[in-house]
Amino acid sequence: MSETASKAPGAVENAGDANRWKALVFIALAQLMVVLDATIVNIALPSAQTDLGISDGNRQWVVTAYALAFGGLLLFGGRIADLWGRKRAFVIGLTGFAAASALGGAATTGAMMFGARALQGAFGALLAPAALSLLAVMFTDAKERAKAFGIYGAIAGGGGAVGFILGGVLTEYMDWRWTFFVNIPFAIVAALGAYFVIREPEGGRNRNPLDIPGVLLSTLGLVSLVYGFTRAESDGWGDTTTVSLFVASAVLLIAFVVTEAKVKAPLLPLRVVTDRNRGGIYLSLGIAIIAMFGTFLFLTYYLQVVKGFSPIKTGFAFLPMIVGMMIGSTQIGTRLMTRVPARLLMGPGFLVAAGGMLLMTQLEIGSSYASIILPAMVLLGLGMGTAFMPAMSLATLGVEPRDAGVASAMVNTSQQVGGAIGTALLNTIAASATTAYIKDHIAGAASKSQQQLVALQGQVHGYTNAIWFAVGMLALAAVIVVTLVNAGTPGSTTVTGSEEGVEDELAVPVVAH
């Protein structure tokens, strides 16, 4: 090993001391922007649809165009971050996201809006894994890492709910276009801060040539999967196109795995996902997100349609969950992560969240916010915050520096695919239960008011049926964590990743097995 290389780890650590916490501010700001965007647009969608003359059949593309580009390109984005350097990928991602947001806010037609959303998704797919992998390579001390990922986990978990509040305020008091324009100052501040503050450690680049077959197979496979679930929600599970998309997705993703096992420089090195801890994290996170995304949707509709809350009041109704998530991530998770094994935080965290969901299965038309929804929100937030924090950290802990970007991308991929599945799957369950309930009870409703009551009761019955399914999903996530994640307490052990017998220049902490 050269003299330069032998000095590198110490040099990296000392150089990072002054700036890593400043860098965290800008990384967290960018993450908040991406997470906000996922929900803020939903609140603005009805107004945007009217202004741009988008049909009911096409309005889903405002959400779907983003989801397809983001979910399909995440692995590619993570690999580009490893190749170009995470700081460069981060700044380019932010700049592109801001430009795409400006285009969306200035949209004059539905097609222009769909294109802007696809561009947002594409640049988000570059930005998100770069942000997480920067944390992975910049924070190598166990206690510092716990604090950094606690903050990041709180933002990742609670940012979506903040989007409901901000979306409601901007839509009600300003204009739906501001739900896009609001991204621009976020992006400019984060990009400038990142450019001047972030000092990415040397030696962690993966300079191998791009695995083009892997890029094509993974992108097409993930796009088919996400779009398949989107189609299932709108056209049904038995629709020919829906089934074809699922079959195509399975074939493409199997071909992707076979290809990655054979090529010299794979897009997704199988060592990243075959590690039982990382594999368990990716799987449990995806399943937990299935439960969360569906529940966000049902609660929004319950509060606005059944209880008559305004968009702003609905947004503020989610505040207890945000507070719970922040406490779970920054207080419970951060304080205990260096003392107890990750599974003893994640498993109970998912079960506490399941307890909150269980409370919500008791919802009826006349249920009060204070007696059911408030305590359910607190439990859901505390549980998810406590579970997310070690999950975010452990998903990239111990990974070789050259794989940090793609390992980070897998975290985002599991969340994005989980979100697409959750929305489609739980919506389908709710719709089926609602239809069955109304069919069974409508005969006894003589007057129009009684028929409206039955329709509302049917909606709530559908929501609670789907929420029961979400309870099961969270319990399953807890079982997966306890079964697969066997990492001990993250602590003092550090190792150097190696490539072809040469030590990497960056020391990376690992968990004791």
Side-chain angles (χ1 to χ4, degrees):
M1 186 190 296
S2 68
E3 186 180 347
T4 304
S6 65
K7 290 178 182 177
V12 166
E13 193 170 334
N14 294 333
D17 284 344
N19 286 326
R20 63 167 64 112
W21 290 107
K22 291 178 186 174
L24 175 62
V25 173
F26 300 112
I27 292 169
L29 188 64
Q31 173 65 13
L32 178 62
M33 180 189 72
V34 172
V35 177
L36 277 176
D37 193 73
T39 52
I40 198 171
V41 174
N42 289 339
I43 298 286
L45 184 53
S47 302
Q49 181 185 352
T50 303
D51 272 11
L52 300 179
I54 301 171
S55 69
D56 286 349
N58 286 333
R59 68 181 174 189
Q60 62 160 329
W61 285 102
V62 177
V63 176
T64 304
Y66 179 88
L68 290 180
F70 192 75
L73 294 172
L74 269 167
L75 284 177
F76 183 45
R79 178 66 181 86
I80 289 291
D82 285 337
L83 181 67
W84 289 355
R86 287 117 205 164
K87 176 179 174 177
R88 181 183 298 173
F90 185 69
V91 173
I92 292 171
L94 279 167
T95 307
F97 199 92
S101 297
L103 186 65
T108 53
T109 65
M112 190 173 169
M113 169 66 78
F114 305 150
R117 290 291 284 161
L119 277 174
Q120 279 187 310
F123 283 107
L126 180 62
L127 167 63
L132 188 55
S133 57
L134 275 170
L135 289 190
V137 297
M138 291 177 73
F139 289 89
T140 57
D141 175 76
K143 288 188 177 178
E144 281 195 353
R145 188 183 177 93
K147 289 178 185 175
F149 276 91
I151 294 166
Y152 186 89
I155 290 169
V162 175
F164 287 118
I165 300 172
L166 195 55
V169 171
L170 292 173
T171 303
E172 200 158 317
Y173 293 116
M174 296 178 74
D175 186 79
W176 65 265
R177 295 181 185 277
W178 282 97
T179 61
F180 287 89
F181 292 145
V182 75
N183 290 332
I184 298 171
F186 276 96
I188 290 171
V189 171
L192 287 174
Y195 183 79
F196 289 110
V197 170
I198 291 176
R199 299 287 180 268
E200 184 180 351
E202 296 293 333
R205 296 262 190 103
N206 184 340
R207 300 184 188 275
N208 288 318
L210 273 177
D211 166 24
I212 300 300
V215 169
L216 293 173
L217 289 169
S218 68
T219 301
L220 291 172
L222 287 170
V223 164
S224 296
L225 183 64
V226 173
Y227 189 37
F229 276 104
T230 304
R231 287 278 307 203
E233 183 184 355
S234 58
D235 297 346
W237 297 92
D239 177 68
T240 306
T241 306
T242 303
V243 174
S244 300
L245 284 165
F246 285 135
V247 171
S249 172
V251 171
L252 288 164
L253 292 177
I254 289 168
F256 171 66
V257 172
V258 171
T259 302
E260 299 309 273
K262 292 181 178 179
V263 296
K264 185 179 178 182
L267 173 69
L268 174 62
L270 296 183
R271 61 180 173 268
V272 172
V273 290
T274 52
D275 175 87
R276 66 181 292 167
N277 289 290
R278 279 194 291 274
I281 295 291
Y282 299 146
L283 187 58
S284 62
L285 265 185
I287 289 171
I289 291 292
I290 289 174
M292 272 198 74
F293 265 61
T295 306
F296 273 177
L297 193 69
F298 297 139
L299 269 182
T300 304
Y301 276 104
Y302 175 80
L303 291 171
Q304 290 194 36
V305 176
V306 179
K307 304 300 285 185
F309 282 26
S310 68
I312 294 177
K313 192 174 179 182
T314 301
F316 277 103
F318 280 93
L319 268 180
M321 185 172 67
I322 301 171
V323 173
M325 279 185 172
M326 296 192 75
I327 292 171
S329 285
T330 62
Q331 300 302 313
I332 302 171
T334 300
R335 292 174 188 274
L336 295 180
M337 188 178 137
T338 53
R339 300 177 187 176
V340 300
R343 68 179 181 275
L344 297 185
L345 282 175
M346 290 184 66
F350 286 139
L351 290 177
V352 168
M357 292 279 194
L358 199 59
L359 263 178
M360 281 194 270
T361 61
Q362 308 304 307
L363 281 176
E364 296 174 353
I365 287 180
S367 298
S368 76
Y369 175 83
S371 63
I372 292 183
I373 299 173
L374 177 61
M377 289 268 197
V378 172
L379 287 174
L380 190 60
L382 282 172
M384 285 300 199
T386 302
F388 273 14
M389 191 260 147
M392 292 286 183
S393 178
L394 200 62
T396 53
L397 191 61
V399 75
E400 295 179 29
R402 59 187 170 142
D403 296 332
V406 78
S408 303
M410 276 302 298
V411 177
N412 288 287
T413 301
S414 64
Q415 290 178 307
Q416 188 65 24
V417 173
I421 293 171
T423 305
L425 190 59
L426 296 187
N427 250 355
T428 305
I429 292 168
S432 300
T434 296
T435 303
Y437 182 93
I438 293 173
K439 187 179 177 182
D440 289 343
H441 293 80
I442 199 70
S447 65
K448 188 175 180 181
S449 61
Q450 287 176 327
Q451 289 170 355
Q452 289 174 339
L453 180 63
V454 168
L456 279 179
Q457 287 171 336
Q459 281 191 41
V460 176
H461 178 74
Y463 301 156
T464 55
N465 266 261
I467 292 170
W468 270 113
F469 189 85
V471 172
M473 289 285 96
L474 285 169
L476 178 60
V479 170
I480 289 169
V481 164
V482 173
T483 305
L484 291 181
V485 178
N486 64 352
T489 309
S492 58
T493 310
T494 59
V495 296
T496 49
S498 60
E499 183 171 0
E500 297 177 357
V502 181
E503 283 187 293
D504 273 311
E505 297 178 6
L506 176 67
V508 183
V510 294
V511 290
H513 290 269

